Amino acid sequence: MFSNHKYIAFETIVIREIRRFGRIWLQTLVPPAITIGLYFVIFGNLVGRRIGEMGGFQYMEFIVPGLIMMSVIQNSYSNVVSSFFSHKFQHSIEELLVSPVPNYIILSGFIVGGMARGLAVGTIVTLMSLFFADLEIQNLFITITVVLLTSIVFALAGFINALFANTFDDISIIPTFVLTPLIYLGGVFYSVELLPPFWKFVSGLNPIFYMVNTFRYGILGTSDVNIVWAFFILCVFIVILFTSCLLLLRKGTGLRS
Amino acid sequence: MTIAISIQNLAKTYANGFEALKGISLEVEQGDFFALLGPNGAGKSTTIGVISTLVNKTSGSVEVFGKNVDTHVYETKLDFGVVPQEVNFSQFEKVRDIVMTQAGYYGLPRKLAAERCEKYLRKLGLWEKRDERSRSLSGGMKRRLMIARALVHEPRLLILDEPTAGVDIELRRSMWEFLTEINNSGTTIILTTHYLEEAEQLCRNIAIIDEGRIVENTSMRKLLNELDSQVYILETTSQIPPDLDLKLEKASLEIIDEHCMEVTVSGGLSVNEVFAVFSEVGIKIDSMRNKTNRLEQLFLSKLEGND
Ligand SMILES: Nc1ncnc2c1ncn2[C@@H]1O[C@H](COP(=O)(O)OP(=O)(O)OP(=O)(O)O)[C@@H](O)[C@H]1O
Ligand SMILES: [Mg+2]
């Protein structure tokens, strides 16, 4: 029919996703900005001054990259999980399922929609951080690449969560019980150099730890992890999650009876 | 003649073990206006679900314009549009956005999408509502919105699952006119309905489905001819001889008891002729009731036959 059908369909999904979180900005953009802003004030500014240095930097400088990353992770995830589940809940997902849009386009559309929100909040948080710390980005390429890849990983994870979710509880369980602990223990607030060997080892099993540290490396030029290894892990996660999503979509898990 | 849709031995057993379709076969020709009639739970929506890929079939095959829906997913999906039984658009989106988004899913370039969107929203009387959130529409408007949405890519086959449920009489008539117009312009239409009048008004061919089986598949005209026959219940004062035989080609007789019988009289034969035959053999009629009530009656008898 139309040669660029797939592109038009993709664009349609992305625009609809962006319009959705734009329409409800009071729920999607403002709360994360406020939360992270409070972290800046309380941990960075008030408590941070007493902490002194962390990983060779002032505490404020140390946590800014971590907090930016935290906002990207949480918002990429939560945009996809709530949007996709809401389409499931309202049955409007059927519009897509009945249409000739291929699964990989459906998936990519939602992923890019989630990234858009993750990056929008990430940008807001970055701008806010300028009031608290002077950051000079050491390696722009690494900084941007790791944010994009991380955003993809968590958008994909949110998609899987939404596929399996049957109730609104199901879309808050994983963020609360899995995502948040992993983020908090992922080196956002401290350097693993502070930890005893055993916990240092455990931190190494947490993928978020690599993402946060690589991002911190891009901005500050220092990291607790091997950067190449971190990128490798990110890519492996993306491949595994993307493939799983496609398989689940093909099977119709949670979508077709 | 091109076949718009061909369903072969379609069976569906849901995850809970319920057998919703027990092997149905159907063919609908291009240009047809086809009714799928059946009571609640017959399997109408399940059938449509399988065609539109929302329901995974257990066995059987579906072809749309000669192409298998499993192997030619892309082409077959472009060829049909579906109006579901239940509302399935986002309640938070605006009327126009819903139709425009659908157009995007079918790859329509923006300009063409905007034209089609306006065309169909106007035709369905929703243009004034284009900037309202779909949630604020009335039930009948929501249904029309789903029709506009299904038409925006101008499919060759339009499938409607109870399009007029919960729609008032006036609106139903205008919807009928609209569907007839669409059909006259070449679109094949399949609709499911509980309203027998609706099938009679609109459709050329009909299948009756019950408990996951097709119990009748014929032309509307034949069905109506069958309905032409009348069944009378006659009570007699004199005893009916058990071996009574009506010497009439177009009437048949069933004796219920000594004083009661059912006579089925086909089109063209007058009741007087029947009475004449009775008086010849000396049977006196005490009272007479008309039993049949056209389509409803036939509908029920077909379904009984399925037990
Ligand atoms: N997801 C499901 N899981 C289990 N059983 C189902 C499911 N969906 C439908 N059924 C059953 O399958 C049967 C057929 O349902 P279907 O919706 O196809 O009927 P229908 O002919 O469309 O009825 P109605 O006129 O009420 O819409 C019903 O008995 C229904 O309970
Ligand atoms: Mg139904």
mmCIF file of all heavy atoms in Angstrom, chain A residues 109-135:
data_model
loop_
_atom_site.group_PDB
_atom_site.id
_atom_site.type_symbol
_atom_site.label_atom_id
_atom_site.label_comp_id
_atom_site.label_asym_id
_atom_site.label_seq_id
_atom_site.Cartn_x
_atom_site.Cartn_y
_atom_site.Cartn_z
ATOM 1 N N GLY A 109 8.157 1.434 18.939
ATOM 2 C CA GLY A 109 7.394 2.661 19.203
ATOM 3 C C GLY A 109 7.258 2.921 20.694
ATOM 4 O O GLY A 109 7.489 4.036 21.171
ATOM 5 N N PHE A 110 6.879 1.874 21.427
ATOM 6 C CA PHE A 110 6.722 2.057 22.875
ATOM 7 C C PHE A 110 8.065 2.321 23.545
ATOM 8 O O PHE A 110 8.150 3.108 24.486
ATOM 9 C CB PHE A 110 6.040 0.835 23.497
ATOM 10 C CG PHE A 110 4.543 0.910 23.412
ATOM 11 C CD1 PHE A 110 3.866 0.347 22.342
ATOM 12 C CD2 PHE A 110 3.811 1.586 24.382
ATOM 13 C CE1 PHE A 110 2.484 0.442 22.246
ATOM 14 C CE2 PHE A 110 2.433 1.680 24.298
ATOM 15 C CZ PHE A 110 1.771 1.106 23.223
ATOM 16 N N ILE A 111 9.110 1.664 23.051
ATOM 17 C CA ILE A 111 10.437 1.860 23.650
ATOM 18 C C ILE A 111 10.890 3.309 23.454
ATOM 19 O O ILE A 111 11.327 3.979 24.390
ATOM 20 C CB ILE A 111 11.470 0.886 23.020
ATOM 21 C CG1 ILE A 111 11.081 -0.553 23.305
ATOM 22 C CG2 ILE A 111 12.881 1.176 23.534
ATOM 23 C CD1 ILE A 111 10.625 -0.839 24.702
ATOM 24 N N VAL A 112 10.736 3.796 22.239
ATOM 25 C CA VAL A 112 11.159 5.171 21.986
ATOM 26 C C VAL A 112 10.288 6.153 22.780
ATOM 27 O O VAL A 112 10.781 7.165 23.297
ATOM 28 C CB VAL A 112 11.143 5.475 20.468
ATOM 29 C CG1 VAL A 112 11.390 6.949 20.202
ATOM 30 C CG2 VAL A 112 12.192 4.627 19.769
ATOM 31 N N GLY A 113 9.008 5.834 22.921
ATOM 32 C CA GLY A 113 8.138 6.666 23.762
ATOM 33 C C GLY A 113 8.659 6.713 25.195
ATOM 34 O O GLY A 113 8.721 7.777 25.815
ATOM 35 N N GLY A 114 9.046 5.556 25.720
ATOM 36 C CA GLY A 114 9.580 5.493 27.081
ATOM 37 C C GLY A 114 10.887 6.249 27.200
ATOM 38 O O GLY A 114 11.136 6.957 28.179
ATOM 39 N N MET A 115 11.722 6.120 26.154
ATOM 40 C CA MET A 115 12.993 6.843 26.168
ATOM 41 C C MET A 115 12.741 8.342 26.167
ATOM 42 O O MET A 115 13.433 9.110 26.852
ATOM 43 C CB MET A 115 13.821 6.466 24.940
ATOM 44 C CG MET A 115 14.338 5.044 24.972
ATOM 45 S SD MET A 115 15.087 4.588 23.395
ATOM 46 C CE MET A 115 16.613 5.544 23.462
ATOM 47 N N ALA A 116 11.737 8.749 25.400
ATOM 48 C CA ALA A 116 11.449 10.184 25.322
ATOM 49 C C ALA A 116 11.146 10.729 26.712
ATOM 50 O O ALA A 116 11.640 11.792 27.105
ATOM 51 C CB ALA A 116 10.284 10.438 24.376
ATOM 52 N N ARG A 117 10.348 9.987 27.469
ATOM 53 C CA ARG A 117 10.033 10.478 28.809
ATOM 54 C C ARG A 117 11.257 10.398 29.714
ATOM 55 O O ARG A 117 11.550 11.333 30.463
ATOM 56 C CB ARG A 117 8.872 9.677 29.406
ATOM 57 C CG ARG A 117 8.810 9.742 30.908
ATOM 58 C CD ARG A 117 7.485 10.123 31.461
ATOM 59 N NE ARG A 117 7.406 9.743 32.859
ATOM 60 C CZ ARG A 117 6.561 8.866 33.347
ATOM 61 N NH1 ARG A 117 5.685 8.276 32.558
ATOM 62 N NH2 ARG A 117 6.547 8.585 34.633
ATOM 63 N N GLY A 118 11.991 9.289 29.648
ATOM 64 C CA GLY A 118 13.188 9.146 30.480
ATOM 65 C C GLY A 118 14.157 10.278 30.218
ATOM 66 O O GLY A 118 14.693 10.894 31.144
ATOM 67 N N LEU A 119 14.340 10.576 28.931
ATOM 68 C CA LEU A 119 15.304 11.625 28.587
ATOM 69 C C LEU A 119 14.763 13.012 28.919
ATOM 70 O O LEU A 119 15.521 13.898 29.310
ATOM 71 C CB LEU A 119 15.671 11.527 27.108
ATOM 72 C CG LEU A 119 16.342 10.196 26.718
ATOM 73 C CD1 LEU A 119 16.635 10.153 25.227
ATOM 74 C CD2 LEU A 119 17.623 9.964 27.514
ATOM 75 N N ALA A 120 13.445 13.183 28.782
ATOM 76 C CA ALA A 120 12.866 14.484 29.138
ATOM 77 C C ALA A 120 13.091 14.757 30.619
ATOM 78 O O ALA A 120 13.571 15.835 31.001
ATOM 79 C CB ALA A 120 11.371 14.504 28.810
ATOM 80 N N VAL A 121 12.788 13.759 31.449
ATOM 81 C CA VAL A 121 12.992 13.965 32.886
ATOM 82 C C VAL A 121 14.493 14.104 33.180
ATOM 83 O O VAL A 121 14.904 14.965 33.968
ATOM 84 C CB VAL A 121 12.372 12.808 33.706
ATOM 85 C CG1 VAL A 121 12.691 12.986 35.183
ATOM 86 C CG2 VAL A 121 10.871 12.759 33.497
ATOM 87 N N GLY A 122 15.296 13.270 32.517
ATOM 88 C CA GLY A 122 16.743 13.361 32.703
ATOM 89 C C GLY A 122 17.258 14.760 32.398
ATOM 90 O O GLY A 122 18.101 15.303 33.115
ATOM 91 N N THR A 123 16.721 15.357 31.330
ATOM 92 C CA THR A 123 17.143 16.706 30.962
ATOM 93 C C THR A 123 16.711 17.726 32.017
ATOM 94 O O THR A 123 17.483 18.604 32.420
ATOM 95 C CB THR A 123 16.535 17.094 29.594
ATOM 96 O OG1 THR A 123 16.841 16.056 28.668
ATOM 97 C CG2 THR A 123 17.076 18.414 29.103
ATOM 98 N N ILE A 124 15.473 17.582 32.484
ATOM 99 C CA ILE A 124 14.993 18.508 33.517
ATOM 100 C C ILE A 124 15.899 18.416 34.744
ATOM 101 O O ILE A 124 16.331 19.429 35.307
ATOM 102 C CB ILE A 124 13.528 18.171 33.914
ATOM 103 C CG1 ILE A 124 12.600 18.414 32.727
ATOM 104 C CG2 ILE A 124 13.088 18.995 35.115
ATOM 105 C CD1 ILE A 124 11.177 17.930 32.927
ATOM 106 N N VAL A 125 16.199 17.183 35.140
ATOM 107 C CA VAL A 125 17.034 16.975 36.334
ATOM 108 C C VAL A 125 18.443 17.529 36.116
ATOM 109 O O VAL A 125 19.021 18.163 37.006
ATOM 110 C CB VAL A 125 17.072 15.470 36.692
ATOM 111 C CG1 VAL A 125 18.111 15.190 37.760
ATOM 112 C CG2 VAL A 125 15.699 15.009 37.154
ATOM 113 N N THR A 126 18.968 17.321 34.905
ATOM 114 C CA THR A 126 20.305 17.843 34.612
ATOM 115 C C THR A 126 20.310 19.364 34.728
ATOM 116 O O THR A 126 21.219 19.955 35.326
ATOM 117 C CB THR A 126 20.731 17.427 33.188
ATOM 118 O OG1 THR A 126 20.570 16.021 33.061
ATOM 119 C CG2 THR A 126 22.169 17.807 32.910
ATOM 120 N N LEU A 127 19.267 19.987 34.173
ATOM 121 C CA LEU A 127 19.206 21.447 34.259
ATOM 122 C C LEU A 127 19.116 21.901 35.715
ATOM 123 O O LEU A 127 19.769 22.860 36.128
ATOM 124 C CB LEU A 127 18.008 21.970 33.462
ATOM 125 C CG LEU A 127 18.096 21.768 31.938
ATOM 126 C CD1 LEU A 127 16.820 22.239 31.243
ATOM 127 C CD2 LEU A 127 19.318 22.513 31.370
ATOM 128 N N MET A 128 18.321 21.175 36.501
ATOM 129 C CA MET A 128 18.206 21.540 37.916
ATOM 130 C C MET A 128 19.550 21.397 38.626
ATOM 131 O O MET A 128 19.894 22.200 39.505
ATOM 132 C CB MET A 128 17.175 20.639 38.607
ATOM 133 C CG MET A 128 15.739 21.041 38.303
ATOM 134 S SD MET A 128 14.572 19.773 38.823
ATOM 135 C CE MET A 128 15.040 19.567 40.504
ATOM 136 N N SER A 129 20.300 20.350 38.244
ATOM 137 C CA SER A 129 21.567 20.082 38.936
ATOM 138 C C SER A 129 22.557 21.228 38.744
ATOM 139 O O SER A 129 23.453 21.434 39.557
ATOM 140 C CB SER A 129 22.166 18.773 38.436
ATOM 141 O OG SER A 129 22.712 18.966 37.144
ATOM 142 N N LEU A 130 22.368 21.993 37.668
ATOM 143 C CA LEU A 130 23.290 23.092 37.414
ATOM 144 C C LEU A 130 23.230 24.151 38.525
ATOM 145 O O LEU A 130 24.165 24.915 38.716
ATOM 146 C CB LEU A 130 22.995 23.740 36.059
ATOM 147 C CG LEU A 130 23.169 22.804 34.858
ATOM 148 C CD1 LEU A 130 22.812 23.499 33.560
ATOM 149 C CD2 LEU A 130 24.597 22.267 34.799
ATOM 150 N N PHE A 131 22.119 24.166 39.249
ATOM 151 C CA PHE A 131 22.020 25.112 40.365
ATOM 152 C C PHE A 131 22.857 24.668 41.551
ATOM 153 O O PHE A 131 23.134 25.423 42.453
ATOM 154 C CB PHE A 131 20.562 25.254 40.833
ATOM 155 C CG PHE A 131 19.691 25.957 39.836
ATOM 156 C CD1 PHE A 131 18.818 25.235 39.027
ATOM 157 C CD2 PHE A 131 19.749 27.339 39.682
ATOM 158 C CE1 PHE A 131 18.017 25.877 38.109
ATOM 159 C CE2 PHE A 131 18.957 27.984 38.757
ATOM 160 C CZ PHE A 131 18.084 27.259 37.962
ATOM 161 N N PHE A 132 23.192 23.360 41.554
ATOM 162 C CA PHE A 132 23.859 22.828 42.737
ATOM 163 C C PHE A 132 25.324 22.491 42.517
ATOM 164 O O PHE A 132 26.091 22.444 43.453
ATOM 165 C CB PHE A 132 23.119 21.580 43.233
ATOM 166 C CG PHE A 132 21.693 21.845 43.606
ATOM 167 C CD1 PHE A 132 20.669 21.664 42.685
ATOM 168 C CD2 PHE A 132 21.374 22.306 44.879
ATOM 169 C CE1 PHE A 132 19.354 21.924 43.030
ATOM 170 C CE2 PHE A 132 20.057 22.565 45.226
ATOM 171 C CZ PHE A 132 19.040 22.380 44.297
ATOM 172 N N ALA A 133 25.667 22.172 41.293
ATOM 173 C CA ALA A 133 27.056 21.752 41.055
ATOM 174 C C ALA A 133 27.516 22.229 39.685
ATOM 175 O O ALA A 133 26.712 22.346 38.768
ATOM 176 C CB ALA A 133 27.153 20.231 41.129
ATOM 177 N N ASP A 134 28.793 22.503 39.580
ATOM 178 C CA ASP A 134 29.342 22.834 38.265
ATOM 179 C C ASP A 134 29.867 21.558 37.652
ATOM 180 O O ASP A 134 30.850 21.002 38.130
ATOM 181 C CB ASP A 134 30.508 23.816 38.400
ATOM 182 C CG ASP A 134 30.004 25.165 38.850
ATOM 183 O OD1 ASP A 134 28.893 25.532 38.434
ATOM 184 O OD2 ASP A 134 30.723 25.838 39.626
ATOM 185 N N LEU A 135 29.195 21.107 36.622
ATOM 186 C CA LEU A 135 29.644 19.860 36.022
ATOM 187 C C LEU A 135 30.271 20.134 34.678
ATOM 188 O O LEU A 135 29.741 20.897 33.870
ATOM 189 C CB LEU A 135 28.460 18.903 35.840
ATOM 190 C CG LEU A 135 27.838 18.388 37.115
ATOM 191 C CD1 LEU A 135 26.672 17.487 36.775
ATOM 192 C CD2 LEU A 135 28.851 17.649 37.965
#
